């Protein structure tokens, strides 16, 4: 029997699923190896638990056929370790066992197995079971890849995202931009969820689940910059809890002022004055912020009225507010 040897990178046939068979009995390995090889699979073998973990970590097989009872590290422990490692946790495991007692079959599933076949092994049965789980694994990989592409696109446009599991209250997924934002604004690192975010979620989720409405956004302010968080949707549910996707966007005074200047055809200083009018500041307040006199602020504001075609401070603020909401819908006015 010529078993394929694992390599540091995946260089096997592109269209062939990679199967790792783990069994300490050479005859069992030979029967399965030949049947799988004839069916077009690329096959790796391991005769011990330690070897199985090493091969799985190195080659990342598409599925593992795992003998439950082996000397030393048994199949149950191998499965638990594979599932505990993020790099191999997604790999479906089919147990091969001569034990038919319910408690052993339950133990196989609790250890992370998706299925089991009983010995003596029937290759056709194994192939049929494998095909079902490989199809499911392919769909899961495709969905994860699509989700990852969508989340990376969010990052590219300045929107970060995290997934928080409740009631446990830990972050189970985040984009690179989200990691940086949470460190900068909240001084926290996943899986810890910032207390302000947890409090916001727990306060509003009862209303969300009852009325199916989006809760008010959470804003975390750091100087001239604001991190705005919005609850997007529930992405998962099981007996342990619910997963909630949160979209985050960082907004600064500068970015809003620049957008107003370009879209309303204002000078940079006129846009600054109008921005602080929207924020409810008086001419005296604006003068102090910008280092100008109230009279200078008034002159800038008069030119803003002309450019916007309005006559009052309230009307100018209304035009600016509408435009800001069009350009920066996540900005809290």
């Amino acid at each position: 029997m010529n078993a394929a040897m694992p390599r540091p990178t995946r260089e096997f046939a592109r269209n062939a699923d990679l199967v790792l068979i783990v069994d300490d009995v050479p005859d069992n390995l030979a029967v399965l190896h030949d049947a799988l090889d004839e069916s077009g699979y690329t096959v790796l073998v391991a005769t011990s638990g330690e070897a199985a973990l090493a091969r799985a970590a190195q080659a990342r097989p598409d599925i593992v056929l795992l003998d439950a009872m082996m000397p030393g590290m048994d199949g149950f422990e191998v499965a638990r370790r594979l599932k505990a490692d993020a790099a191999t946790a997604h790999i479906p495991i089919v147990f091969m066992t001569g034990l038919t007692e319910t408690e052993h079959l339950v133990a196989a599933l609790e250890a992370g197995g998706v299925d089991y076949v009983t010995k003596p092994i029937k290759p056709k049965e194994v192939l049929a079971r494998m095909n079902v789980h490989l199809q499911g694994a392919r769909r899961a990989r495709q969905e994860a890849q699509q989700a990852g592409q969508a989340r990376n696109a969010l990052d590219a446009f300045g929107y970060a995202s995290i997934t928080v599991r409740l009631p446990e209250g830990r972050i189970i997924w985040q984009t690179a931009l989200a990691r940086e934002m949470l460190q900068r604004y909240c001084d926290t690192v996943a899986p810890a969820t910032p207390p302000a975010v947890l409090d916001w979620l727990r306060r509003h989720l009862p209303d969300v689940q009852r009325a199916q409405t989006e809760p008010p956004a959470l804003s975390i302010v750091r100087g001239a910059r604001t991190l705005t968080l919005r609850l997007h949707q529930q992405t998962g549910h099981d007996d342990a809890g619910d997963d909630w996707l949160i979209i985050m966007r960082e907004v600064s005074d500068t970015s809003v002022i620049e957008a107003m200047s370009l879209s309303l055809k204002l000078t940079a200083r006129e846009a600054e004055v109008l921005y602080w009018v929207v924020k409810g500041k008086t001419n005296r307040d604006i003068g102090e912020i910008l280092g100008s006199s109230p009279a200078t602020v008034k002159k800038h504001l008069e030119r803003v009225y002309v450019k916007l075609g309005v006559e009052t401070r309230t009307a100018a603020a209304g035009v600016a507010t509408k435009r800001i909401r069009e350009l920066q819908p996540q900005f809290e006015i």
Side-chain angles (χ1 to χ4, degrees):
M1 176 181 64
N2 296 319
M5 294 302 292
R7 302 177 183 178
T9 57
R10 186 80 171 270
E11 297 178 0
F12 304 99
R14 288 187 180 275
N15 296 322
D17 287 307
L18 178 60
V19 183
L20 172 60
I21 310 172
V22 186
D23 200 315
D24 64 310
V25 180
D27 287 346
N28 292 340
L29 290 175
V31 170
L32 276 176
H33 181 282
D34 292 346
L36 293 172
D37 187 60
E38 289 175 6
S39 299
Y41 292 97
T42 300
V43 184
L44 295 175
V45 299
T47 57
S48 69
E50 291 80 1
L53 293 174
R55 279 169 169 69
Q58 188 177 40
R60 308 288 171 80
D62 295 294
I63 194 166
V64 176
L65 300 179
L66 180 58
D67 184 19
M69 303 305 294
M70 296 184 293
M73 185 187 303
D74 63 20
F76 303 121
E77 181 60 23
V78 172
R80 282 190 286 268
R81 294 196 187 188
L82 288 174
K83 292 303 176 182
D85 186 340
T88 55
H90 65 284
I91 302 171
I93 299 171
V94 176
F95 274 93
M96 302 181 294
T97 177
L99 304 172
T100 56
E101 290 84 355
T102 301
E103 61 184 275
H104 292 123
L105 302 181
V106 170
L109 299 177
E110 288 181 344
V114 296
D115 204 347
Y116 64 88
V117 292
T118 57
K119 294 182 176 181
I121 295 299
K122 304 175 185 66
K124 287 186 178 180
E125 179 187 1
V126 174
L127 287 166
R129 298 283 186 93
M130 278 177 45
N131 188 51
V132 170
H133 298 298
L134 283 168
Q135 288 179 357
R138 287 190 203 103
R139 285 195 298 271
R141 285 198 300 271
Q142 290 171 352
E143 291 170 359
Q145 183 179 28
Q146 291 169 353
Q149 290 171 346
R151 288 159 175 166
N152 289 338
L154 286 173
D155 266 16
F157 285 96
Y159 291 88
S161 54
I162 60 174
T163 299
V164 178
R165 165 152 287 217
L166 291 175
E168 187 177 352
R170 66 184 177 94
I171 294 174
I172 61 172
W173 181 90
Q174 65 182 349
T175 63
L177 183 58
R179 181 187 305 111
E180 186 272 327
M181 286 180 172
L182 291 179
Q183 285 179 327
R184 183 151 44 87
Y185 278 86
C186 306
D187 196 28
T188 59
V189 178
T193 303
V197 176
L198 273 181
D199 179 66
W200 169 67
L201 280 173
R202 288 168 173 159
R203 188 168 64 251
H204 292 292
L205 275 179
D207 292 336
V208 171
Q209 293 169 322
R210 182 178 63 255
Q212 299 297 305
T213 57
E214 181 181 342
L218 171 66
S219 295
I220 302 174
V221 179
R222 288 292 180 272
R225 295 179 177 273
T226 301
L227 182 65
T228 301
L229 297 86
R230 292 189 180 278
L231 186 62
H232 184 62
Q233 64 182 20
Q234 184 175 346
T235 59
H237 170 78
D238 56 32
D239 292 340
D242 301 319
D243 301 334
W244 294 92
L245 179 63
I246 297 169
I247 304 296
M248 304 187 295
R249 182 76 187 270
E250 183 180 51
V251 179
S252 67
D253 295 339
T254 301
S255 66
V256 175
I257 290 168
E258 288 176 352
M260 287 172 56
S261 175
L262 290 171
S263 65
L264 297 176
K265 296 180 172 56
L266 303 175
T267 66
R269 183 48 59 111
E270 289 166 355
E272 284 183 303
V273 169
L274 181 56
Y275 173 82
W276 292 112
V277 168
V278 170
K279 286 289 192 177
K281 302 296 184 182
T282 65
N283 286 0
R284 182 180 295 279
D285 294 334
I286 297 171
E288 291 176 355
I289 293 169
L290 302 181
S292 302
S293 68
T296 301
V297 172
K298 182 179 178 182
K299 289 179 180 179
H300 284 305
L301 198 51
E302 288 170 350
R303 288 195 289 271
V304 169
Y305 294 165
V306 173
K307 291 183 178 181
L308 299 186
V310 299
E311 296 181 355
T312 67
R313 188 185 196 91
T314 301
V319 171
T321 298
K322 182 175 183 294
R323 185 57 55 88
I324 290 171
R325 284 176 174 156
E326 291 171 352
L327 299 171
Q328 304 261 9
Q330 74 287 345
F331 184 67
E332 296 297 317
I333 298 174

